[in-house]
Amino acid sequence: FLADWVAQALVIPGTIELMIDSLDQHLHKTGLLPPNASIILAVSGGVDSVVLLDLLSQLQASYGWDIAVAHLDHKVRPSSEDDAALVARLANKYGYKYYLGQLDGGEAREAALRRARYDFLESIRQGHPADWIVTAHHRDDRIETSVFNTIRGADRYGMTALKPVRGNIVRPLLPFAKGNLIAHAHAHDLEFIEDSTNTDTTYSRNLVRHELLPHATTYDPSFQTDYLGRLDNLDRLNDDIERGLDEVLRLLSIPNPASNKAGELAVDRRGFLKLSP
């Protein structure tokens, strides 16, 4: 899998030499992390978050960010303390404040651990205080999440759930492939830990990552590019639908003097019944 990911860096924009410039251009274009923002950077110790930490540290002088590093030790693996120790060393190396949270190891379900992680990060964000929580989700994660959610029966919102911004969470690496990140890590001799559970296909996300998606690319070499294009189209469709529904509501809303409840609306029933199901 490592060789496949690195190979992607040879054909996907944002290669080793251009990674920092590509991210800088992406941030300038999107305004995802504005200058002087206060950031809580989630660092697991894996290659994705370690690379993001390195990239943001290189751009910090230009943007004036206040960066702090946060790590949640799930205690699911005996070696999880090594992850926490690595992240502590990295935070010290870059000169950032370090927040460590710890669970009791009694919970191993993916969804529960994910909720615990975001609850921890949000508590740190509020206590620091900071403007944003920044995570290292990348292009491959976007595909994986969409396929995983679709298998679970997600609607059009679930299929496009991994967005650049959701609430106080920012994901600046979504345009970049996993191969780009691994190549950057090796080119700059970055220290990271590969979580042994990442290859355990008893976890449903790993099954999607290591079994389903490689087969999809085997059957259709352009699968990833085509699928991302369809997700972009679905994102735009979702926005169009929301705007259309807002317009329908505006056209059908009527005064309702009988109600004193704040935010309660009344609609023209005849107009509503004329709408397409």
Side-chain angles (χ1 to χ4, degrees):
F1 299 120
L2 180 62
D4 290 341
W5 276 325
V6 173
Q8 292 179 42
L10 301 177
V11 296
I12 297 172
T15 54
I16 299 171
E17 297 81 4
L18 299 179
M19 187 77 190
I20 186 68
D21 294 332
S22 296
L23 179 59
D24 188 22
Q25 293 170 15
H26 177 57
L27 294 178
H28 273 294
K29 179 180 177 181
T30 61
L32 282 176
L33 291 175
N36 303 315
S38 181
I39 295 168
I40 300 297
L41 179 57
V43 181
S44 67
V47 63
D48 306 338
S49 57
V50 168
V51 167
L52 180 57
L53 172 60
D54 182 69
L55 292 170
L56 293 187
S57 71
Q58 293 185 54
L59 294 173
Q60 184 182 22
S62 300
Y63 286 84
W65 296 314
D66 168 33
I67 299 177
V69 171
H71 175 83
L72 180 62
D73 182 356
H74 297 130
K75 298 288 187 182
V76 173
R77 293 177 290 108
S79 61
S80 66
E81 292 183 358
D82 296 335
D83 301 0
L86 169 62
V87 178
R89 291 198 302 273
L90 292 173
N92 182 65
K93 169 187 172 182
Y94 292 108
Y96 299 147
K97 186 170 184 178
Y98 175 52
Y99 293 100
L100 172 64
Q102 294 179 317
L103 301 181
D104 59 12
E107 179 60 77
R109 292 174 300 170
E110 294 173 86
L113 292 175
R114 193 174 304 109
R115 285 195 299 271
R117 184 162 58 250
Y118 280 114
D119 287 346
F120 164 71
L121 292 170
E122 177 59 20
S123 69
I124 297 301
R125 187 193 71 81
Q126 293 184 21
H128 184 71
D131 303 308
W132 305 104
I133 295 166
V134 180
T135 70
H137 292 96
H138 47 77
R139 195 191 79 156
D140 300 52
D141 288 324
R142 186 184 178 206
I143 297 174
E144 173 192 313
T145 299
S146 178
V147 172
F148 177 70
N149 287 350
T150 301
I151 291 171
R152 298 170 64 204
D155 59 10
R156 58 190 171 89
Y157 293 109
M159 292 176 66
T160 58
L162 205 59
K163 296 183 179 298
V165 180
R166 182 175 292 277
N168 295 308
I169 300 169
V170 177
R171 302 179 176 106
L173 293 184
L174 284 186
F176 301 93
K178 177 83 171 187
N180 299 141
L181 307 184
I182 294 175
H184 179 92
H186 286 286
H188 295 272
D189 199 25
L190 300 181
E191 183 183 6
F192 62 88
I193 291 178
E194 187 61 43
D195 185 343
S196 60
T197 63
N198 284 343
T199 58
D200 183 354
T201 54
T202 59
Y203 290 96
S204 51
R205 278 183 176 269
N206 289 343
L207 183 67
V208 171
R209 180 184 303 145
H210 296 308
E211 297 290 342
L212 296 184
L213 293 182
H215 280 298
T217 305
T218 298
Y219 285 111
D220 177 9
S222 62
F223 164 76
Q224 290 192 347
T225 301
D226 292 345
Y227 193 81
L228 286 166
R230 288 193 287 273
L231 288 183
D232 288 340
N233 288 335
L234 186 54
D235 265 327
R236 287 189 288 269
L237 177 61
N238 285 341
D239 290 341
D240 288 344
I241 290 172
E242 292 303 316
R243 283 193 294 269
L245 292 175
D246 287 342
E247 181 63 11
V248 167
L249 185 59
R250 186 187 69 80
L251 292 173
L252 293 182
S253 294
I254 57 175
N256 185 17
S259 174
N260 295 319
K261 295 181 180 179
E264 185 169 280
L265 299 173
V267 298
D268 175 2
R269 184 173 182 274
R270 290 183 179 181
F272 178 78
L273 292 176
K274 291 179 181 178
L275 294 176
S276 162

